[in-house]
Amino acid sequence: MTVRHGRASPMVAASEAERVPSPHMHSITDRIDNTTRIPPGYLKAAPPAPKSVKIEISPRCNYRCGFCALRTREVQPKWDMGLDLFKRVTREMREAGVEEIGVFYLGESFMNPRLLVDCITWLKREIAMPYVFLTSNASMSFPEAVEECMKAGLDSLKWSVNAADEVQFEKIMGVAGRLFRRALENIRSAWEVRQRGGYKIGLYASSIQYDGAQQEKMERLLAERVRPYVDQHYWLPLYSMGAFATQREEELGYRPTAGNQGRIGALREPLPCWSAFTEGHVTAEGRLSACCFDATSSWTMGDLNQQSFMEAWNSEPFVKLRAAHLRKDVSGTSCEKCIAYS
């Protein structure tokens, strides 16, 4: 289905929410589930290299989402990752067996589109990374930048859509409602860019699953403005973001789920937490974290400025933390206060 002018009807959009349009694309939920499912060979304190790593190209973000771990930073960073550091650590990752790189972690990578394109180009053309993916809030993903990412070989682009209207957007995202409109326009434009250029990239979207009237409002928005322009949409629980700001989440009126248990439909047990076993997380300054929501370096397991990737991946602190997860007793560790275990 091609949507170039106008919008698909809600009935059509809903029926095609799970479509995967061509053989080169795989279901994004299959990839997510493969990461959140810890295979037997990784259920050890010193596992092999993860198949997937997320790297914080830019730690900056133009949103101030009420549920996001970035709100825990007292001072928001103003620097991005150096390209030389990115090249070195990703080469080490590829040699160690990493097959998927997310060119994002906590920040919004379209804050620095030139660096983003350079990183994708390096991954695909220089070290032949099999799969490169990105998640964005869409507000800064203008068509020109998106097309450059597609030309560079980006395999997957997923949009985070977590507000049903401008009023809710301003309340939860903490920024002007015009960015809500812009994000929806950019989601449609990305679909048109792909169709026009014939780029081999999957376009996806995810949303936090609320309840009651809010869920109904989200369904209407998705049917009209999002699902017609993506290959697949899926739902996520409201994460606790590494034990962050329960008070703030209560102010917003939504109850967070325990830790990061994956997506709705394939939730995982909180212990052992897959984030410490099957996916790497690297901050813009080059720190390897054990947590997918670590905005304050509370789960730092190694410094890639001083260590190789595999040295950090199986560092003494990381091995000890994983051993605690395998015992299902994280008392006394950096994970102790996570809502998943309280």
Side-chain angles (χ1 to χ4, degrees):
M1 171 183 166
T2 301
V3 180
R4 297 292 297 276
H5 306 287
R7 291 180 172 79
S9 69
M11 183 176 296
V12 172
S15 67
E16 299 202 3
E18 298 298 318
R19 70 190 185 280
V20 179
S22 56
H24 73 271
M25 296 178 193
H26 299 284
S27 164
I28 190 174
T29 49
D30 287 345
R31 289 187 179 275
I32 292 169
D33 295 349
N34 286 337
T35 298
T36 62
R37 181 191 304 112
I38 307 176
Y42 283 76
L43 284 171
K44 55 183 68 174
K51 296 300 181 184
S52 178
V53 178
K54 292 178 181 176
I55 303 176
E56 194 171 46
I57 302 302
S58 175
R60 300 174 291 135
C61 187
N62 61 325
Y63 282 12
R64 297 291 293 155
C65 298
F67 52 77
C68 183
L70 289 180
R71 292 180 62 93
T72 62
R73 289 174 171 164
E74 294 183 4
V75 178
Q76 294 302 314
K78 298 179 174 59
W79 64 90
D80 298 328
M81 175 173 273
L83 186 58
D84 289 342
L85 175 61
F86 180 87
K87 288 181 177 180
R88 180 179 67 77
V89 299
T90 52
R91 185 182 291 279
E92 291 174 356
M93 291 171 187
R94 187 72 188 107
E95 291 172 351
V98 173
E99 298 178 353
E100 302 181 2
I101 293 289
V103 281
F104 73 103
Y105 176 23
L106 296 175
E108 170 55 55
S109 295
F110 277 106
M111 295 288 287
N112 191 336
R114 183 67 267 165
L115 176 61
L116 175 59
V117 172
D118 287 344
C119 289
I120 298 169
T121 301
W122 161 260
L123 291 170
K124 298 302 294 185
R125 300 180 187 176
E126 299 298 326
I127 62 173
M129 187 62 63
Y131 190 75
V132 180
F133 61 104
L134 172 63
T135 291
S136 169
N137 65 34
S139 68
M140 300 290 289
S141 56
F142 300 107
E144 298 81 4
V146 168
E147 184 155 24
E148 288 302 309
C149 290
M150 292 181 181
K151 288 179 180 178
L154 185 65
D155 295 289
S156 168
L157 177 53
K158 190 202 79 173
W159 312 113
S160 290
V161 182
N162 296 311
D165 53 40
E166 288 188 37
V167 173
Q168 186 191 42
F169 179 88
E170 291 185 351
K171 178 182 179 183
I172 292 184
M173 280 66 196
V175 291
R178 59 183 171 79
L179 294 180
F180 176 77
R181 299 190 300 273
R182 182 196 293 173
L184 293 174
E185 291 168 0
N186 287 340
I187 289 172
R188 182 185 64 185
S189 294
W191 177 270
E192 295 173 348
V193 166
R194 186 183 71 172
Q195 297 300 101
R196 183 170 61 246
Y199 300 108
K200 295 183 178 181
I201 179 175
L203 296 175
Y204 309 105
S206 69
S207 304
I208 292 172
Q209 188 174 71
Y210 303 101
D211 53 23
Q214 167 59 19
Q215 184 68 12
E216 295 175 4
K217 291 168 65 177
M218 283 296 300
E219 287 287 0
R220 287 196 295 271
L221 173 81
L222 294 170
E224 295 175 6
R225 304 295 301 277
V226 178
R227 285 191 175 120
Y229 309 113
V230 297
D231 303 312
Q232 187 178 13
H233 171 272
Y234 62 96
W235 294 99
L236 295 169
L238 177 58
Y239 298 135
S240 65
M241 295 291 179
F244 155 65
T246 300
Q247 178 181 353
R248 172 62 177 164
E249 288 157 351
E250 288 176 351
E251 290 173 0
L252 294 173
Y254 306 113
R255 171 77 177 169
T257 189
N260 184 347
Q261 295 179 251
R263 67 178 182 88
I264 298 292
L267 294 177
R268 309 302 184 190
E269 292 296 321
L271 285 174
C273 179
W274 62 268
S275 178
F277 291 82
T278 61
E279 186 174 79
H281 305 91
V282 180
T283 66
E285 61 267 30
R287 293 171 179 162
L288 179 67
S289 177
C291 181
C292 46
F293 300 133
D294 188 8
T296 56
S297 300
S298 301
W299 287 268
T300 297
M301 298 291 115
D303 185 350
L304 300 183
N305 295 287
Q306 307 294 329
Q307 302 167 282
S308 70
F309 175 69
M310 287 307 296
E311 286 173 339
W313 179 249
N314 283 325
S315 64
E316 182 179 352
F318 218 161
V319 168
K320 288 183 177 179
L321 181 63
R322 292 196 192 100
H325 275 252
L326 290 170
R327 293 193 303 270
K328 298 189 176 182
D329 180 6
V330 294
S331 57
T333 74
S334 55
C335 297
E336 182 177 25
K337 294 182 180 180
C338 179
I339 193 172
Y341 319 124
S342 61

